Structure formats: C-alpha cells, structure tokens
C-alpha cells in the first residue's frame, strides 16, 4: 500500500469521526475547536493544563485559544485557577458539565461501533501501528509528543512502587501516570 492510499484512508476515517463528534458538540452549543480543547483538558496532567499547552497541543495561536477558553469558561465548562507557586501561571480545570460533554462526545459512537466489530488482535495491531505513525510524524515535524506520563523518560518508579517525575521531582499518582503531558520525552522503547 502506498502513502497516497494510507492518506486517503486516514483522511476519510478522520472526517467521519470529526463529523460525528461535531454533531455532539453542536447539540451542546460548542464549536469543534472548543470541544477539542475540552477533550485535551480531560486528558492532560497538572503540568499541561495551561492556555499555552492547549495552544501547543491544538497547533493554534494563543489568541484563538484565549477566545476559545473564554467561551468555555463563560459557559461553565472550565474553571481557571492560579498556580499556587507561580501566580502568573493559570491552570484550567474541567467542571462537571465540561467532563460530561467530553464523555458524551468522545470517543464518538461511530468509532465505538466500528471498533467493536474488530477482533482484539486487530484492535491491538491498529493501535500499535497508529502509535508508530504518530511518533514518526511528530519526530519528522519536531513536535511535542504529548505522550502519557508512564511512557516518558522522566517517569520514575521507586522501589516501593511510588511514582515520581524526574523532571519536576514531584510525586505522581497512578492517575497522573495515565495522563498526557506537554513535557513528555519518549523513552528509547516507546520511539
């Protein structure tokens, strides 16, 4: 299969998924970019829930993201919170309503239905292949990986099983290890 065919499949799949997600967002009064911001905030860790990180992840300008976040805050989907250590830093947290919107929309029903029809082996193979394609694209474009904490070279597991970020030296919970981070650096095994 050539690159053109792969592009055609990925483009069509992405379009179908995006259309289904968009329908759910519109029903809640949200534009696609607003739903994408909510989705990101539902998945990121406490180091990555800032306006700058949202802009980096979505590949948008700070101005566009600022407007998007303003609408989400005024609609009651996110709350802003000043950082305890640096008052210049603002953290963005989903409200209960914001979390509900994300869980209703993502993953979209059309994708759930399609994936349920696949064998577990096929699902695992597709996941591994898409992960590899994503990493190659990020490396080629020198983009941040925004990977999960547990796959980062900074993620440390102590002898007693506790987790720690080797970059910030802060303790991490099991939930933290599953979330995505803008400071993520892949390990040699995950590249």
């Amino acid at each position: 299969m050539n690159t053109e065919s792969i592009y055609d499949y990925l483009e069509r799949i992405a379009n179908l998924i995006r259309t289904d997600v968009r329908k759910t967002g519109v029903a809640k009064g949200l534009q696609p970019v607003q739903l994408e911001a909510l989705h990101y905030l539902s998945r990121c860790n406490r180091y990555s829930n800032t306006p700058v990180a949202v802009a980096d992840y979505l590949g948008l300008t700070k101005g566009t993201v600022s407007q998007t976040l303003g609408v989400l805050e005024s609609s009651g989907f996110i709350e802003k919170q000043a950082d305890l250590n640096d008052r210049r830093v603002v953290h963005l947290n989903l409200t209960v309503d914001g979390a509900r919107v994300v869980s209703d929309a993502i993953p979209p029903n059309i994708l759930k239905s399609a994936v349920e029809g696949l064998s577990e082996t096929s699902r695992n193979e597709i996941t591994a292949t898409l992960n590899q394609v994503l990493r190659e694209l990020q490396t080629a474009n020198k983009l941040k990986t925004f990977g999960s904490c547990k796959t980062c070279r900074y993620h440390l597991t102590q002898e007693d099983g506790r987790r720690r970020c080797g970059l910030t030296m802060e303790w991490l919970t099991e939930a933290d290890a599953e979330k995505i981070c803008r400071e993520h650096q892949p390990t040699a095994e995950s590249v």
Side-chain angles (χ1 to χ4, degrees):
M1 188 174 284
N2 62 34
T3 304
E4 204 170 294
S5 295
I6 292 170
Y7 174 83
D8 289 343
Y9 282 117
L10 290 174
E11 188 275 333
R12 190 65 196 131
I13 290 167
N15 221 349
L16 290 168
I17 291 170
R18 195 171 25 255
T19 299
D20 204 41
V21 169
R22 189 175 291 138
K23 286 178 192 173
T24 305
V26 167
K28 306 279 187 192
L30 295 171
Q31 297 295 319
V33 69
Q34 294 163 340
L35 192 53
E36 289 172 10
L38 287 175
H39 181 230
Y40 169 73
L41 290 170
S42 75
R43 299 177 60 221
C44 69
N45 66 15
R46 64 183 180 254
Y47 308 114
S48 308
N49 64 347
T50 64
V52 171
V54 174
D56 284 349
Y57 185 80
L58 297 177
L60 299 172
T61 65
K62 291 177 188 173
T64 299
V65 168
S66 179
Q67 289 178 346
T68 297
L69 296 175
V71 170
L72 293 174
E73 183 181 26
S74 66
S75 299
F77 294 123
I78 63 169
E79 296 173 330
K80 291 182 179 176
Q81 178 182 20
D83 188 272
L84 298 175
N85 298 321
D86 185 347
R87 293 304 224 185
R88 297 170 298 174
V89 177
V90 174
H91 293 280
L92 307 166
N93 299 304
L94 290 183
T95 63
V96 172
D97 288 342
R100 189 177 303 114
V101 167
V102 174
S103 69
D104 288 349
I106 299 170
N109 291 329
I110 192 172
L111 181 61
K112 287 179 192 174
S113 190
V115 171
E116 285 172 6
L118 301 173
S119 69
E120 185 175 347
T121 301
S122 291
R123 288 190 301 263
N124 291 337
E125 289 172 356
I126 290 168
T127 301
T129 301
L130 290 174
N131 181 51
Q132 186 177 356
V133 170
L134 175 62
R135 297 287 175 233
E136 292 294 331
L137 287 169
Q138 289 170 324
T139 300
N141 290 299
K142 298 179 176 77
L143 299 173
K144 291 183 178 283
T145 57
F146 283 93
S148 68
C149 179
K150 68 183 178 187
T151 65
C152 179
R153 71 182 182 106
Y154 297 122
H155 182 265
L156 307 172
T157 304
Q158 309 295 310
E159 287 180 20
D160 62 4
R162 293 185 304 158
R163 299 168 186 268
R164 183 176 223 151
C165 175
L167 183 63
T168 66
M169 297 312 292
E170 292 183 46
W171 292 106
L172 303 167
T173 66
E174 294 272 339
D176 289 333
E178 297 298 324
K179 298 211 176 224
I180 60 176
C181 182
R182 74 185 299 249
E183 302 299 337
H184 183 268
Q185 294 288 320
T187 61
E189 304 89 54
S190 65
V191 173

